[in-house]
Amino acid sequence: MDNPSKITEGGVEYSLGKFDGKSVLYDFDKILIYLDAKGKLLFGKQFRIYDEDTVIIRKLCHYFINDEENCLKDDIDPDKGILLSGPVGCGKTTLMKLLRYIVPMQRPYEMIPCRNVAFSFNHLGFKTIEEYGNTKFFCFDDLGVEPAGRFYGKDLNVMGEVLLSRYELYLQTKKKIKTHATTNLNAEELEERYGNRVRSRMRELFNLIAFDKRARDKRK
């Protein structure tokens, strides 16, 4: 049987904790070492884990490894997805791309830029809503700054419709379908963009994990 506490990257074996034959006892410091190494492989040598982000990363790790006790402390519901919010350039997309690798046995999610969903709607119409309202796991990147959809003269708030579809699916599948998203917008701005109905569904779909408003832009 594979040992899920060990992951090999580039010929180097990383341990994320101890495996007792049934479950992994994760070690956060070891996870950080692995994430730093994997981040450099994925995003280049300039990638690093910032000390000021470890609180957020720890919460995300608790969620992904399904640490029920710490999720409860963090007020995180393991059935819901993650809505990771924070200012431009603070590293939201990078973290969501990276963290799925610490749980290779779990079903992965696809990262989809929201603007791609809007553009797809402009070409294909409502087929797009069906396509993203399916049983795949997605992380919608940059929610709230995508252009409005327009198909045959009909305007549509495409991501709003996709989120409503994902919500219906989430209920139908007894909360087994995961939807994640990243956004630069705060709660008021999201409500302004998508309306009250979508915003209330978002509360039921997502755990909100937010960077500090003053988090620095790592791209500079």
Side-chain angles (χ1 to χ4, degrees):
M1 182 179 166
D2 288 343
N3 182 340
S5 72
K6 297 195 180 331
I7 300 180
T8 302
E9 293 290 352
V12 181
E13 186 177 80
Y14 294 91
S15 166
L16 304 183
K18 290 192 185 74
F19 183 54
D20 65 5
K22 282 203 292 259
S23 57
V24 180
L25 299 163
Y26 286 94
D27 178 326
F28 185 63
D29 292 329
K30 287 180 175 171
I31 291 177
L32 284 182
I33 291 167
Y34 168 70
L35 288 175
D36 188 61
K38 182 67 179 174
K40 285 179 169 59
L41 286 172
L42 286 174
F43 309 114
K45 290 190 175 61
Q46 76 291 349
F47 175 83
R48 54 182 270 238
I49 299 274
Y50 292 85
D51 288 346
E52 69 254 37
D53 294 345
T54 51
V55 172
I56 293 263
I57 294 171
R58 192 184 284 269
K59 280 185 184 178
L60 289 167
C61 285
H62 290 157
Y63 171 81
F64 281 111
I65 65 178
N66 213 346
D67 178 335
E68 287 175 7
E69 194 181 325
N70 277 307
C71 279
L72 199 63
K73 277 186 203 157
D74 296 334
D75 203 18
I76 289 172
D77 179 344
D79 283 338
K80 296 181 181 183
I82 294 289
L83 176 63
L84 189 58
S85 80
V88 172
C90 67
K92 303 179 293 293
T93 303
T94 301
L95 283 180
M96 289 307 283
K97 282 180 177 169
L98 184 57
L99 275 148
R100 54 190 169 174
Y101 289 100
I102 63 174
V103 281
M105 320 299 249
Q106 279 183 26
R107 189 173 161 190
Y109 50 86
E110 262 182 80
M111 294 288 296
I112 305 280
C114 291
R115 52 181 302 187
N116 291 15
V117 181
F119 290 145
S120 168
F121 175 81
N122 295 347
H123 290 294
L124 303 170
F126 288 88
K127 214 172 100 188
T128 299
I129 312 292
E130 284 167 33
E131 200 178 302
Y132 291 109
N134 67 19
T135 55
K136 280 187 180 165
F137 286 18
F138 292 113
C139 178
F140 294 110
D141 196 26
D142 247 355
L143 183 67
V145 293
E146 72 281 353
R150 195 176 183 99
F151 187 67
Y152 283 115
K154 186 170 166 47
D155 286 337
L156 189 77
N157 192 326
V158 181
M159 281 310 304
E161 289 300 320
V162 167
L163 290 172
L164 289 173
S165 291
R166 300 290 301 172
Y167 172 73
E168 291 305 323
L169 201 67
Y170 173 70
L171 293 185
Q172 286 160 15
T173 57
K174 299 191 170 41
K175 304 187 174 178
K176 290 198 170 47
I177 295 294
K178 288 272 172 35
T179 306
H180 307 297
T182 71
T183 185
N184 306 328
L185 306 186
N186 63 30
E188 291 78 46
E189 291 166 326
L190 284 168
E191 185 154 333
E192 204 172 296
R193 181 79 172 78
Y194 296 111
N196 180 274
R197 180 165 162 242
V198 174
R199 177 74 190 112
S200 76
R201 300 291 185 272
M202 286 173 75
R203 284 192 196 95
E204 293 177 63
L205 261 186
F206 297 121
N207 294 288
L208 176 64
I209 296 183
F211 277 87
D212 190 296
K213 289 194 283 288
R214 298 180 300 277
R216 63 174 143 160
D217 187 339
K218 277 105 176 171
R219 294 184 286 205
K220 287 182 176 168

Short mmCIF file of all heavy atoms in Angstrom, two decimals, residues 31-63:
data_model
loop_
_atom_site.label_atom_id
_atom_site.label_comp_id
_atom_site.label_asym_id
_atom_site.label_seq_id
_atom_site.Cartn_x
_atom_site.Cartn_y
_atom_site.Cartn_z
N ILE A 31 4.94 20.05 5.93
CA ILE A 31 4.10 20.44 4.79
C ILE A 31 4.67 21.71 4.14
O ILE A 31 4.75 21.82 2.92
CB ILE A 31 2.63 20.67 5.21
CG1 ILE A 31 1.97 19.34 5.60
CG2 ILE A 31 1.82 21.32 4.08
CD1 ILE A 31 0.54 19.47 6.11
N LEU A 32 5.09 22.67 4.97
CA LEU A 32 5.65 23.92 4.44
C LEU A 32 6.91 23.68 3.62
O LEU A 32 7.11 24.29 2.56
CB LEU A 32 5.96 24.91 5.57
CG LEU A 32 4.78 25.62 6.21
CD1 LEU A 32 5.26 26.59 7.29
CD2 LEU A 32 3.92 26.36 5.20
N ILE A 33 7.75 22.76 4.08
CA ILE A 33 8.98 22.43 3.34
C ILE A 33 8.61 21.86 1.97
O ILE A 33 9.17 22.23 0.93
CB ILE A 33 9.86 21.43 4.14
CG1 ILE A 33 10.43 22.13 5.38
CG2 ILE A 33 10.98 20.85 3.27
CD1 ILE A 33 11.04 21.19 6.41
N TYR A 34 7.62 20.95 1.96
CA TYR A 34 7.17 20.36 0.70
C TYR A 34 6.57 21.43 -0.22
O TYR A 34 6.87 21.48 -1.42
CB TYR A 34 6.15 19.25 0.96
CG TYR A 34 5.45 18.82 -0.31
CD1 TYR A 34 6.14 18.12 -1.30
CD2 TYR A 34 4.12 19.17 -0.57
CE1 TYR A 34 5.52 17.78 -2.50
CE2 TYR A 34 3.51 18.83 -1.77
CZ TYR A 34 4.21 18.13 -2.72
OH TYR A 34 3.61 17.80 -3.91
N LEU A 35 5.71 22.29 0.34
CA LEU A 35 5.06 23.32 -0.48
C LEU A 35 6.08 24.27 -1.10
O LEU A 35 5.94 24.70 -2.25
CB LEU A 35 4.05 24.12 0.36
CG LEU A 35 2.76 23.39 0.75
CD1 LEU A 35 1.93 24.26 1.69
CD2 LEU A 35 1.93 22.98 -0.47
N ASP A 36 7.11 24.59 -0.34
CA ASP A 36 8.16 25.46 -0.85
C ASP A 36 8.87 24.80 -2.04
O ASP A 36 9.09 25.43 -3.08
CB ASP A 36 9.16 25.78 0.27
CG ASP A 36 10.16 26.84 -0.16
OD1 ASP A 36 9.71 27.97 -0.47
OD2 ASP A 36 11.37 26.55 -0.21
N ALA A 37 9.18 23.51 -1.89
CA ALA A 37 9.87 22.78 -2.97
C ALA A 37 8.96 22.63 -4.19
O ALA A 37 9.37 22.87 -5.33
CB ALA A 37 10.31 21.40 -2.46
N LYS A 38 7.72 22.26 -3.95
CA LYS A 38 6.77 22.06 -5.07
C LYS A 38 6.49 23.40 -5.76
O LYS A 38 6.38 23.46 -6.98
CB LYS A 38 5.46 21.47 -4.52
CG LYS A 38 4.42 21.17 -5.60
CD LYS A 38 4.86 20.06 -6.53
CE LYS A 38 3.81 19.75 -7.58
NZ LYS A 38 4.29 18.77 -8.57
N GLY A 39 6.39 24.47 -4.97
CA GLY A 39 6.16 25.80 -5.53
C GLY A 39 7.29 26.22 -6.46
O GLY A 39 7.05 26.78 -7.53
N LYS A 40 8.52 25.91 -6.07
CA LYS A 40 9.67 26.25 -6.93
C LYS A 40 9.62 25.46 -8.24
O LYS A 40 9.96 25.98 -9.30
CB LYS A 40 10.98 26.02 -6.19
CG LYS A 40 11.27 27.10 -5.13
CD LYS A 40 12.56 26.85 -4.38
CE LYS A 40 12.98 28.05 -3.54
NZ LYS A 40 12.01 28.49 -2.53
N LEU A 41 9.21 24.19 -8.14
CA LEU A 41 9.09 23.37 -9.36
C LEU A 41 8.00 23.91 -10.29
O LEU A 41 8.16 23.94 -11.50
CB LEU A 41 8.76 21.91 -9.00
CG LEU A 41 9.90 21.06 -8.41
CD1 LEU A 41 9.34 19.73 -7.93
CD2 LEU A 41 11.00 20.82 -9.44
N LEU A 42 6.88 24.34 -9.69
CA LEU A 42 5.74 24.79 -10.51
C LEU A 42 5.91 26.21 -11.02
O LEU A 42 5.55 26.51 -12.15
CB LEU A 42 4.45 24.75 -9.67
CG LEU A 42 3.81 23.41 -9.36
CD1 LEU A 42 2.64 23.60 -8.42
CD2 LEU A 42 3.34 22.70 -10.61
N PHE A 43 6.41 27.09 -10.17
CA PHE A 43 6.37 28.53 -10.48
C PHE A 43 7.74 29.17 -10.67
O PHE A 43 7.84 30.35 -10.94
CB PHE A 43 5.61 29.30 -9.37
CG PHE A 43 4.27 28.70 -9.05
CD1 PHE A 43 4.01 28.14 -7.81
CD2 PHE A 43 3.25 28.69 -10.00
CE1 PHE A 43 2.77 27.57 -7.52
CE2 PHE A 43 2.00 28.13 -9.71
CZ PHE A 43 1.77 27.57 -8.48
N GLY A 44 8.81 28.38 -10.48
CA GLY A 44 10.15 28.94 -10.69
C GLY A 44 10.87 29.20 -9.38
O GLY A 44 10.28 29.21 -8.30
N LYS A 45 12.18 29.39 -9.50
CA LYS A 45 13.06 29.50 -8.32
C LYS A 45 12.72 30.69 -7.42
O LYS A 45 13.07 30.71 -6.25
CB LYS A 45 14.52 29.63 -8.77
CG LYS A 45 15.06 28.32 -9.35
CD LYS A 45 16.57 28.41 -9.56
CE LYS A 45 17.15 27.09 -10.03
NZ LYS A 45 16.60 26.66 -11.33
N GLN A 46 12.06 31.70 -8.00
CA GLN A 46 11.77 32.89 -7.19
C GLN A 46 10.62 32.63 -6.20
O GLN A 46 10.39 33.42 -5.29
CB GLN A 46 11.44 34.10 -8.08
CG GLN A 46 10.05 34.11 -8.73
CD GLN A 46 9.85 33.05 -9.82
OE1 GLN A 46 10.81 32.40 -10.26
NE2 GLN A 46 8.62 32.87 -10.26
N PHE A 47 9.93 31.50 -6.35
CA PHE A 47 8.80 31.20 -5.46
C PHE A 47 9.30 31.02 -4.02
O PHE A 47 10.31 30.41 -3.77
CB PHE A 47 8.07 29.92 -5.88
CG PHE A 47 6.99 29.52 -4.91
CD1 PHE A 47 5.73 30.09 -4.98
CD2 PHE A 47 7.25 28.62 -3.87
CE1 PHE A 47 4.74 29.77 -4.06
CE2 PHE A 47 6.27 28.29 -2.94
CZ PHE A 47 5.01 28.87 -3.05
N ARG A 48 8.55 31.58 -3.07
CA ARG A 48 8.83 31.28 -1.66
C ARG A 48 7.55 31.39 -0.83
O ARG A 48 6.57 32.01 -1.24
CB ARG A 48 9.91 32.19 -1.09
CG ARG A 48 9.65 33.66 -1.25
CD ARG A 48 10.81 34.46 -0.69
NE ARG A 48 10.60 34.75 0.71
CZ ARG A 48 10.57 35.99 1.21
NH1 ARG A 48 10.75 37.03 0.42
NH2 ARG A 48 10.37 36.20 2.48
N ILE A 49 7.59 30.73 0.31
CA ILE A 49 6.48 30.83 1.27
C ILE A 49 6.79 32.01 2.19
O ILE A 49 7.86 32.05 2.79
CB ILE A 49 6.37 29.53 2.11
CG1 ILE A 49 6.09 28.31 1.23
CG2 ILE A 49 5.33 29.69 3.22
CD1 ILE A 49 4.67 28.01 0.88
N TYR A 50 5.88 32.95 2.28
CA TYR A 50 6.10 34.13 3.13
C TYR A 50 5.61 33.86 4.54
O TYR A 50 4.51 33.31 4.72
CB TYR A 50 5.36 35.34 2.55
CG TYR A 50 5.94 35.80 1.24
CD1 TYR A 50 5.56 35.22 0.04
CD2 TYR A 50 6.89 36.83 1.20
CE1 TYR A 50 6.10 35.63 -1.17
CE2 TYR A 50 7.43 37.26 0.00
CZ TYR A 50 7.05 36.65 -1.18
OH TYR A 50 7.59 37.06 -2.37
N ASP A 51 6.42 34.29 5.52
CA ASP A 51 6.04 34.07 6.93
C ASP A 51 4.66 34.61 7.24
O ASP A 51 3.89 34.00 7.97
CB ASP A 51 7.06 34.74 7.87
CG ASP A 51 8.38 33.98 7.87
OD1 ASP A 51 8.39 32.83 7.38
OD2 ASP A 51 9.39 34.53 8.35
N GLU A 52 4.35 35.80 6.67
CA GLU A 52 3.06 36.43 7.02
C GLU A 52 1.87 35.66 6.46
O GLU A 52 0.73 35.91 6.83
CB GLU A 52 3.02 37.90 6.57
CG GLU A 52 2.96 38.09 5.07
CD GLU A 52 4.27 38.58 4.47
OE1 GLU A 52 5.34 38.16 4.92
OE2 GLU A 52 4.21 39.38 3.53
N ASP A 53 2.13 34.72 5.54
CA ASP A 53 1.02 33.95 4.95
C ASP A 53 0.78 32.62 5.65
O ASP A 53 -0.16 31.90 5.30
CB ASP A 53 1.31 33.66 3.47
CG ASP A 53 1.33 34.93 2.63
OD1 ASP A 53 0.85 35.97 3.13
OD2 ASP A 53 1.82 34.88 1.50
N THR A 54 1.62 32.28 6.64
CA THR A 54 1.49 30.93 7.20
C THR A 54 0.17 30.71 7.93
O THR A 54 -0.32 29.59 7.98
CB THR A 54 2.69 30.56 8.12
OG1 THR A 54 2.87 31.61 9.06
CG2 THR A 54 3.96 30.35 7.32
N VAL A 55 -0.42 31.77 8.47
CA VAL A 55 -1.72 31.61 9.16
C VAL A 55 -2.78 31.16 8.15
O VAL A 55 -3.55 30.22 8.40
CB VAL A 55 -2.16 32.93 9.85
CG1 VAL A 55 -3.57 32.81 10.38
CG2 VAL A 55 -1.20 33.27 10.98
N ILE A 56 -2.79 31.82 6.99
CA ILE A 56 -3.74 31.44 5.92
C ILE A 56 -3.43 30.04 5.41
O ILE A 56 -4.34 29.22 5.22
CB ILE A 56 -3.61 32.45 4.74
CG1 ILE A 56 -4.09 33.83 5.17
CG2 ILE A 56 -4.33 31.95 3.50
CD1 ILE A 56 -5.49 34.18 4.82
N ILE A 57 -2.15 29.77 5.18
CA ILE A 57 -1.76 28.45 4.64
C ILE A 57 -2.14 27.35 5.62
O ILE A 57 -2.63 26.29 5.23
CB ILE A 57 -0.25 28.41 4.31
CG1 ILE A 57 0.06 29.39 3.18
CG2 ILE A 57 0.20 27.00 3.93
CD1 ILE A 57 1.54 29.61 2.91
N ARG A 58 -1.97 27.63 6.90
CA ARG A 58 -2.32 26.62 7.92
C ARG A 58 -3.82 26.31 7.86
O ARG A 58 -4.23 25.14 7.87
CB ARG A 58 -1.93 27.14 9.31
CG ARG A 58 -1.98 26.08 10.40
CD ARG A 58 -1.69 26.69 11.75
NE ARG A 58 -0.30 26.98 11.96
CZ ARG A 58 0.58 26.13 12.51
NH1 ARG A 58 0.19 24.92 12.86
NH2 ARG A 58 1.83 26.48 12.69
N LYS A 59 -4.64 27.36 7.75
CA LYS A 59 -6.10 27.14 7.65
C LYS A 59 -6.43 26.30 6.40
O LYS A 59 -7.25 25.39 6.46
CB LYS A 59 -6.83 28.49 7.54
CG LYS A 59 -7.01 29.18 8.86
CD LYS A 59 -7.85 30.44 8.68
CE LYS A 59 -7.96 31.20 9.99
NZ LYS A 59 -8.71 32.43 9.84
N LEU A 60 -5.80 26.67 5.29
CA LEU A 60 -6.06 25.93 4.05
C LEU A 60 -5.61 24.47 4.17
O LEU A 60 -6.30 23.56 3.71
CB LEU A 60 -5.35 26.61 2.87
CG LEU A 60 -5.94 27.95 2.42
CD1 LEU A 60 -4.99 28.67 1.47
CD2 LEU A 60 -7.30 27.76 1.74
N CYS A 61 -4.48 24.27 4.82
CA CYS A 61 -3.99 22.89 5.03
C CYS A 61 -4.96 22.09 5.90
O CYS A 61 -5.27 20.94 5.59
CB CYS A 61 -2.60 22.90 5.66
SG CYS A 61 -1.28 23.34 4.52
N HIS A 62 -5.44 22.71 6.97
CA HIS A 62 -6.42 22.02 7.84
C HIS A 62 -7.61 21.57 7.00
O HIS A 62 -8.14 20.47 7.18
CB HIS A 62 -6.92 22.96 8.94
CG HIS A 62 -5.88 23.27 9.97
ND1 HIS A 62 -5.94 24.39 10.76
CD2 HIS A 62 -4.75 22.61 10.33
CE1 HIS A 62 -4.89 24.41 11.57
NE2 HIS A 62 -4.16 23.35 11.32
N TYR A 63 -8.03 22.44 6.09
CA TYR A 63 -9.18 22.13 5.24
C TYR A 63 -8.85 20.97 4.29
O TYR A 63 -9.58 19.99 4.22
CB TYR A 63 -9.58 23.37 4.44
CG TYR A 63 -10.61 23.08 3.38
CD1 TYR A 63 -11.96 23.00 3.71
CD2 TYR A 63 -10.25 22.88 2.05
CE1 TYR A 63 -12.92 22.72 2.75
CE2 TYR A 63 -11.19 22.59 1.09
CZ TYR A 63 -12.53 22.52 1.43
OH TYR A 63 -13.46 22.23 0.47
#
